[in-house]
Amino acid sequence: MIRLLIADDERLEREALAEMVTRRFVEHEIVLEEAENGRKAADTAILWGADLILMDIEMKFMDGMMAAEEIRKVDTEVIIIFITNSPQYAIKGYAVQALDYILKPLSYYAFCQRMNHVRELLERRQKHFLTVPCAGGVQKLDVSDIYYVEICDHDLLFHTKQGEVHSTGSMRDVEQKLPPENFFRSSKAYLVN
């Protein structure tokens, strides 16, 4: 499954990109979210945990470059590709570790050429991530880095390779989001990898 965010302030551009992605990734399950401005793009990417973001740069409220900076503060793994008609921003894309920079108008052939590399990267990753609310926002956890989850005084405590992450929610919700083949409920209070 690929979680894709398309961020562009023009509806027709979003629809055209969605159609190209659907055609190109026909063998994959795509879950698609759209954002019509940079602020919504940043919020959606951070809360939802996108795998791939196709983003215009010149948008209302917050431009794509600023949105990418916000996203990178929380998620260093998501693939960001700028699709825009503004070539002057290409160098700035490296500052937010954008994978690519594609100029509009976009042809399907050019799009497919660029997406071949993206597909390879996504297939290599095949990691599962869990986005959890925590103090100051959310945190994206690699499921393979979670040792166990415990419920303690109505709070969730994720024990990971990187340390402890305190969160809110129910053990039942976490259990449903984690791959059942990897996690075992050893008691009411523990979910073990």
Side-chain angles (χ1 to χ4, degrees):
M1 177 178 71
I2 299 171
R3 295 159 65 101
L4 169 68
L5 172 62
I6 297 176
D8 197 306
D9 57 350
E10 295 188 31
R11 183 181 52 82
L12 293 175
E13 294 285 342
R14 291 193 309 270
E15 289 173 0
L17 274 172
E19 192 271 329
M20 285 186 197
V21 167
T22 303
R23 281 177 55 196
R24 178 61 192 96
F25 291 97
V26 70
E27 70 278 3
H28 292 85
E29 178 187 352
I30 304 281
V31 179
L32 176 69
E33 285 287 327
E34 295 184 11
E36 65 277 350
N37 62 62
R39 178 74 265 153
K40 185 175 179 191
D43 291 345
T44 301
I46 291 167
L47 293 173
W48 184 55
D51 299 309
L52 171 61
I53 301 172
L54 304 176
M55 183 159 36
D56 191 10
I57 290 180
E58 295 178 335
M59 292 186 287
K60 294 178 233 163
F61 303 117
M62 177 187 282
D63 68 25
M65 201 60 70
M66 289 176 66
E69 289 171 3
E70 290 291 313
I71 293 164
R72 283 291 181 230
K73 289 177 185 175
V74 176
D75 188 348
T76 59
E77 297 292 319
V78 65
I79 297 170
I80 299 174
I81 297 177
F82 290 114
I83 300 178
T84 186
N85 53 12
S86 305
Q88 69 269 23
Y89 293 108
I91 300 299
K92 286 185 176 181
Y94 291 110
V96 293
Q97 295 128 23
L99 178 69
D100 209 339
Y101 190 93
I102 306 171
L103 289 176
K104 294 178 184 178
L106 189 61
S107 73
Y108 182 66
Y109 177 76
F111 180 78
C112 286
Q113 292 296 98
R114 299 291 194 7
M115 290 300 113
N116 287 340
H117 182 58
V118 169
R119 194 182 90 230
E120 289 172 14
L121 286 173
L122 289 172
E123 286 174 354
R124 261 190 268 150
R125 281 185 185 175
Q126 286 304 307
K127 289 185 175 183
H128 296 280
F129 290 95
L130 179 67
T131 305
V132 297
C134 59
V138 296
Q139 189 162 348
K140 187 175 180 180
L141 302 175
D142 182 339
V143 169
S144 64
D145 289 346
I146 299 172
Y147 297 129
Y148 66 96
V149 183
E150 100 180 88
I151 191 127
C152 184
D153 294 328
H154 304 290
D155 288 330
L156 292 170
L157 190 56
F158 291 83
H159 298 270
T160 72
K161 280 184 185 177
Q162 293 75 28
E164 293 181 353
V165 176
H166 295 265
S167 181
T168 58
S170 73
M171 187 67 88
R172 178 177 290 138
D173 289 341
V174 172
E175 189 174 19
Q176 289 173 352
K177 292 176 183 175
L178 291 172
E181 64 273 8
N182 295 15
F183 285 84
F184 172 73
R185 186 89 176 254
S186 62
S187 72
K188 254 179 118 171
Y190 293 94
L191 187 59
V192 182
N193 191 347

